Each structure stands twice: as structure tokens, then as C-alpha cells.
Amino acid sequence: MPLLVQKYGGTSVGDPERIRAVADHVARTRRSGVDVVVVVSAMGRTTDDLIRLADEVSANQPAREFDMLVSSGERISMALLCMALADLGVEAASFTGSQAGIITDTNHTRAKIVEIRADRLREALAAGKVPVVAGFQGVSTARDVTTLGRGGSDTTAVALAAVLGADACEIYTDVTGVFSADPRVVPDAHRLPRISFDEMLEMAATGGRVLMLRSVEFARNHHVPLHVRSSFTWEPGTWVVEEDESMEQAVVTAVTHDASEAKVTVTDVPDRPGVAARLFRALADRSVNVDMIVQNTSQHGTTDISFTVPKVDLATSVSVCEDLRGELGVADVVADEDVARVSLVGAGMKSHPGVTATMFETLAKEGINIDMISTSTIRISCMVRAGEVEKGVRALHEAFELS
Ligand code: ASP
Ligand code: MG
């Protein structure tokens, strides 16, 4: 029998009615002759509420207890969904991450899966049951409950699909798929019927917030086809699949944007070996995820280095730079939160010159100044003023005829 892993996000199981609608869909899938393993997120904003509760109780939350707390949201949804399935005559059984055999490292709040011992899930399937697994969590090699980081249920689903050899992993959410741009910014953005893993990775990394980045990496590495679709309309969504060389690739597939990063500039950095290494090692040691980096060629033996970091890491980043000021002889540390990034993603870019030029011309025509630029083989990103990014997205979507 074919096997599908179906993952339902927070809005898909947001209230009792939605849970019954999901149960109905699982039952129909099952009756169409397909085995199903379900992965659920916590209902609606439950995870946020639990985190707020922790903040109200304690200023110093031990990570082990934080994970114990926030992992409970998914337990609520899985038990309720199993009850709704029972009402429909579908035999189901809920499993916590630990019961599902999801073994992680000991890195609380952002644990990585190291192994999955899926025997219990296989037994449940063999007994004709639908296993319903709590997303976002596992049990560490030290036997404590861990969580996989925000949005981690996607990773649970993809990892289970990989280990169980599922035919596909369906990610049900409140949008109908992956779009050529954020439809809130570009009303005539269209749903992409299929994109490659590499494109999805670039989109997830540059603001296309439909899938958790790590889950896409996992799916690519383990060849799990993903189907991102809506649990409100149930219509076919976007397939994320291996690149098909025989297909004509679009030069530009999507325009993404992201205002979640800030820019830090250290000025008059001495231009000698080891300076950048020292700076970025110090940032890495504080777990700051640096994204774009720009260094000018030096004029008089010194240069400026600018880099971007998640806004939540800005304070840490600035203090790291300040601490190194004396040692490195930095003149100034400047933080800039008023930035946003607009990116073009497209697998066909590899073989089509001129995309960068058209992008710069389009932004220039709109009077948008480019602050920083970075590229990969299938992406071009420009940092611009935050207030201008949406205008840029619209202009690029039109210039590359994505409507
Ligand atoms: N409930 C968790 C969160 O809100 C995990 C997930 O939804 O994927 O981050
Ligand atoms: Mg979620």
C-alpha cells in the first residue's frame, strides 16, 4: 500500500471543528487505500501561549523544563485528533516524539534528530492503525524530552517520511502552496505548481516562510517529495521535488523578501590576516547566525565590514563587536535595523546571464538604493531600506513577468 505522511500545522488543527475536518480528511485518505502517518502541531497559538506563560513564571527557565512545557502543546492535538478519528471509525493511536522513537541530541530547544527507531509506528501501521505523532519533539540520548526549534513539526514529518520510506510528505497549512511572491504584497502572485528543493531552500532562507528551512534540507537529502497544500480548501498545492533536468527551467521563479535581519557595520578595521576570522569566530561562539557579509577593498590599510544578523541577535552581535574594538582597533560599531532584503530565486539563473543587471535596473527605476548584495548560483539578494522593500518586490515581480 502507498504510504503518506500528513503534517497538519497549528491553524489546521486550531479548534475542535478544524480537528474534525482533519480527521475527516485522514479517514478519506485511509479509505482510498493509502496508509497514513499523521504529524500534528500544537493547536493555533498554543506554543506561543506556553512560552508566554513560562516568561510570566520565570526569568531563568532551565532549557530542560522549557522543552517539557512546550512539547505539551502537540500532545493535546494528537490525543484530540485520535478521538475525532475514533468517532469516524478509524483506528488511530497517538505517540509522543519519544514514543515514536525520535532520538535527538541533547541540545534543548533546538535539538537535532540523530536516529529514529520507528518500530512502534511500523507495528501500528501493520495493525491497520493510523499513528498520530506529536510534532516538534523527541527524546535525547540522555533520555530527556527535547524540542526541535520553532516550526519543528515540519522536520518531524519529513524525517518520519524518510525513515518509513513514504511516497510523499504532505504539509497541510493555511495557504494553498508556495507563491511567486507574498500574496499580501503582490496580489497577483501565483501558486507555483512545482519547484525544486534548491529553489525551496533559497526561498525558505530568504523569507518564503511556508516551510521550516531544516525540513527542506532534510527532504532534499533523503529524497522525500513534499506537497505543500491547504487544509482549508484541500486543493492540490505546490510539489517540492528533485530538479528534473529534462524540464525547461524558469529563469526567475519567485521574489521573496525578509525584514527580520539587521545590519552591523564595523568601521576602519585593519586590513590584515586574521581580523575577519577573529570577529566571525567570536560571533559564531555566541551562536549568532551571520548571513550577508560585505567587506570593501581597503584604501589606507583599513576597511569597513558590514554583515547581517537576525534582529533578535542584534544586541549580542553589537556587544561582541564592542568587546573586540580595542583588540582589533575598530573605529566604530554601527547597528542599522531599518533594512530589509529582497531576493530573486530561480534554478534557470545558472544558465541565463543578465538577471542581476535587470534586477538592479528595476530597483534603480523605482529609486531604490541597494545597500548590500549577495548571490548564490540560483539567487540574488539585495539589502535595501525597510520602507522600500515591498515596492521593490512588486516591481521585480512585474519586471520578470511572474504574474
Ligand atoms: N508548535 C511548534 C511551534 O509553534 C512547532 C510547529 O508548529 O511546527 O513552533
Ligand atoms: Mg507552526
Side-chain angles (χ1 to χ4, degrees):
M1 241 202 297
L3 173 66
L4 283 179
V5 172
Q6 299 187 330
K7 180 260 173 176
Y8 294 93
T11 49
S12 299
V13 292
D15 58 40
E17 205 181 311
R18 297 255 72 242
I19 290 177
R20 283 198 301 270
V22 166
D24 194 59
H25 187 70
V26 173
R28 269 186 286 131
T29 312
R30 192 74 193 72
R31 286 193 196 111
S32 72
V34 176
D35 267 338
V36 186
V37 173
V38 178
V39 174
V40 285
S41 287
M43 292 172 70
R45 304 238 147 271
T46 303
T47 309
D48 293 324
D49 293 343
L50 291 170
I51 292 172
R52 202 169 313 116
L53 198 55
D55 290 342
E56 282 170 24
V57 168
S58 158
N60 149 52
Q61 302 147 12
R64 179 185 184 278
E65 307 312 327
F66 179 91
D67 277 351
M68 190 61 96
L69 176 74
V70 297
S71 67
S72 66
E74 273 70 13
R75 296 175 74 136
I76 297 173
S77 346
M78 70 176 188
L80 291 173
L81 180 59
C82 285
M83 292 177 190
L85 283 166
D87 277 8
L88 298 174
V90 176
E91 264 201 276
S94 63
F95 296 91
T96 64
S98 164
Q99 289 176 313
I102 298 171
I103 320 289
T104 73
D105 61 20
T106 54
N107 233 318
H108 280 287
T109 78
R110 47 176 127 186
K112 289 210 157 55
I113 297 174
V114 294
E115 192 191 340
I116 298 184
R117 301 184 192 143
D119 316 348
R120 288 193 73 181
L121 301 184
R122 286 198 191 92
E123 282 162 24
L125 285 169
K129 290 185 189 162
V130 174
V132 178
V133 180
F136 168 59
Q137 58 184 278
V139 62
S140 75
T141 46
R143 288 179 294 165
D144 284 317
V145 171
T146 49
T147 61
L148 309 178
R150 295 308 304 269
S153 299
D154 288 347
T155 302
T156 305
V158 173
L160 287 178
V163 77
L164 295 169
D167 295 278
C169 181
E170 297 185 323
I171 308 276
Y172 287 94
T173 175
D174 53 3
V175 294
T176 54
V178 180
F179 281 75
S180 56
D182 184 339
R184 283 167 303 192
V185 175
V186 184
D188 59 355
H190 73 281
R191 183 177 69 224
L192 303 162
R194 60 190 276 147
I195 57 172
S196 69
F197 284 122
D198 289 337
E199 287 172 314
M200 189 68 238
L201 276 174
E202 293 284 8
M203 288 182 72
T206 57
R209 229 166 254 89
V210 190
L211 287 175
M212 192 210 199
L213 185 59
R214 251 172 69 200
S215 70
V216 186
E217 275 166 356
F218 211 104
R220 181 186 58 180
N221 296 344
H222 294 86
H223 315 285
V224 178
L226 300 177
H227 187 186
V228 182
R229 52 190 303 196
S230 162
S231 68
F232 289 78
T233 65
W234 306 107
E235 68 198 285
T238 300
W239 280 93
V240 189
V241 292
E242 233 124 338
E243 204 171 294
D244 182 350
E245 301 297 343
S246 68
M247 268 172 48
E248 181 74 56
Q249 291 161 337
V251 179
V252 175
T253 302
V255 187
T256 56
H257 70 288
D258 177 19
S260 68
E261 294 192 345
K263 183 175 84 162
V264 180
T265 304
V266 287
T267 65
D268 283 333
V269 184
D271 186 21
R272 58 176 153 76
V275 171
R278 180 81 183 90
L279 175 62
F280 290 101
R281 171 56 63 200
L283 289 163
D285 286 345
R286 300 286 298 273
S287 296
V288 174
N289 219 334
V290 175
D291 192 11
M292 295 168 114
I293 302 174
V294 170
Q295 176 180 324
N296 293 328
T297 38
S298 63
Q299 290 291 351
H300 310 285
T302 66
T303 180
D304 295 348
I305 299 178
S306 292
F307 56 92
T308 65
V309 295
K311 279 189 176 140
V312 288
D313 289 335
L314 180 60
T316 310
S317 307
V318 169
S319 91
V320 166
C321 295
E322 290 287 354
D323 288 348
L324 288 173
R325 213 166 153 156
E327 181 187 329
L328 297 184
V330 169
D332 221 345
V333 179
V334 186
D336 183 356
E337 282 196 84
D338 180 35
V339 291
R341 179 172 45 173
V342 55
S343 306
L344 293 180
V345 176
M349 245 179 237
K350 277 180 279 198
S351 46
H352 283 80
V355 178
T356 317
T358 308
M359 181 179 197
F360 295 168
E361 282 160 8
T362 306
L363 294 175
K365 230 181 278 164
E366 297 292 320
I368 297 172
N369 190 45
I370 302 170
D371 219 16
M372 299 168 91
I373 301 160
S374 81
T375 63
S376 79
T377 46
I378 63 163
R379 175 188 49 80
I380 311 164
S381 299
C382 294
M383 211 51 144
V384 301
R385 291 292 100 198
E388 295 191 313
V389 74
E390 295 194 355
K391 186 168 73 169
V393 172
R394 281 189 287 269
L396 290 166
H397 197 267
E398 174 146 7
F400 286 94
E401 297 173 352
L402 295 178
S403 299

